[in-house]
Amino acid sequence: MTEDPLPAEHCSPLAALVDEVLASVGYEVAAAVDAIDDAVPGHGGLFDPATTPAELRRALEELQGSGLSRPPVPEPTSDAFVLYVDGSSRGNPGPAGAGAVIVDAGENLDPGENQLDASTNQLARLGRPVGSRTGNNTAEYVALHLGLAELAARYEPRRVDVRIDSMTVISDVWGGDEPTEPGVETYSEAVAVALSRIPDHRYTHLADSDPNPADALATVGADIAALGPGT
């Protein structure tokens, strides 16, 4: 399971239960959602409007006691990776989620290289809720930490190119600037520790027009953060 020293943002009890199920499968969103949907009675599921909070809570508690495990970890072709990350906050602050996609870079990881086929080389698709009243910058930090922590838990990365659209996080993590938003210092420090364990790390800034496969996962995380209040 991902080692997560970060402070917990406020989530409803229902969203927190979903996050626990996500953690038990290594934050693999598809695996968690499939398991939850299978556990909900009838034809409902995690995001089905017909699923009541009570039904969802019972399904989540059942899954917690069922011994869920991580899906098999795909073998990479080398120790070089691309990590796409993204955070999403509705209302900023509001329900927020974090997403990360680990991509097998093979031997093709060059500075500024953007031609990797992220749709076919994906090794992991990760996501989680961050908080119900959380800002976008915090969600971006959590996304970066989630991706780095899972990358280190699964593999022995020597090189990683982090692809990210947040200049705020880039200026802090790689530019040496002080965090500009109060309350993110702990997140910033945790990311710095995670990066210190990877010998060669760099970033690529994604423009708004650049595809980011982590975006949809961050949106799912925000959907989960919006669940509740639960019973």
Side-chain angles (χ1 to χ4, degrees), residues 93-105:
V101 174
I102 299 172
V103 176
D104 184 356

Side-chain angles (χ1 to χ4, degrees), residues 111-179:
E113 174 62 53
N114 266 314
Q115 302 306 313
L116 288 173
D117 187 351
S119 65
T120 60
N121 295 332
Q122 292 179 10
L123 300 171
R125 292 177 53 81
L126 316 171
R128 67 179 304 184
V130 178
S132 60
R133 298 189 297 269
T134 302
N136 190 68
N137 283 338
T138 298
E140 294 275 357
Y141 277 104
V142 174
L144 179 53
H145 182 265
L146 170 64
L148 291 171
E150 278 297 325
L151 179 61
R154 298 164 189 238
Y155 306 111
E156 296 181 0
R158 183 173 60 86
R159 295 187 293 167
V160 63
D161 178 14
V162 176
R163 301 194 175 171
I164 181 172
D165 63 11
S166 172
M167 282 305 302
T168 298
V169 176
I170 289 172
S171 296
D172 169 15
V173 174
W174 285 277
D177 295 346
E178 291 294 324

Side-chain angles (χ1 to χ4, degrees), residues 32-208:
V33 172
D34 286 348
I36 293 168
D37 288 354
D38 288 345
V40 172
H43 300 287
L46 176 60
F47 298 120
D48 191 322
T51 302
T52 68
E55 288 175 331
L56 183 53
R57 176 175 288 278
R58 284 194 296 271
L60 293 167
E61 291 173 345
E62 176 185 320
L63 287 171
Q64 285 181 302
S66 68
L68 281 173
S69 59
R70 289 168 170 263
V73 176
E75 287 292 330
T77 59
S78 76
D79 55 7
F81 302 88
V82 169
L83 176 63
Y84 286 90
V85 299
D86 196 32
S88 173
S89 174
R90 295 173 191 158
N92 196 27
V101 174
I102 299 172
V103 176
D104 184 356
E107 296 300 328
N108 299 314
L109 183 56
D110 295 319
E113 174 62 53
N114 266 314
Q115 302 306 313
L116 288 173
D117 187 351
S119 65
T120 60
N121 295 332
Q122 292 179 10
L123 300 171
R125 292 177 53 81
L126 316 171
R128 67 179 304 184
V130 178
S132 60
R133 298 189 297 269
T134 302
N136 190 68
N137 283 338
T138 298
E140 294 275 357
Y141 277 104
V142 174
L144 179 53
H145 182 265
L146 170 64
L148 291 171
E150 278 297 325
L151 179 61
R154 298 164 189 238
Y155 306 111
E156 296 181 0
R158 183 173 60 86
R159 295 187 293 167
V160 63
D161 178 14
V162 176
R163 301 194 175 171
I164 181 172
D165 63 11
S166 172
M167 282 305 302
T168 298
V169 176
I170 289 172
S171 296
D172 169 15
V173 174
W174 285 277
D177 295 346
E178 291 294 324
T180 57
E181 183 172 318
V184 300
E185 292 83 4
T186 302
Y187 298 96
S188 175
E189 291 167 7
V191 165
V193 170
L195 283 173
S196 72
R197 297 169 179 161
I198 302 175
D200 181 2
H201 58 81
R202 64 193 69 159
Y203 73 88
T204 297
H205 178 242
L206 297 177
D208 291 341

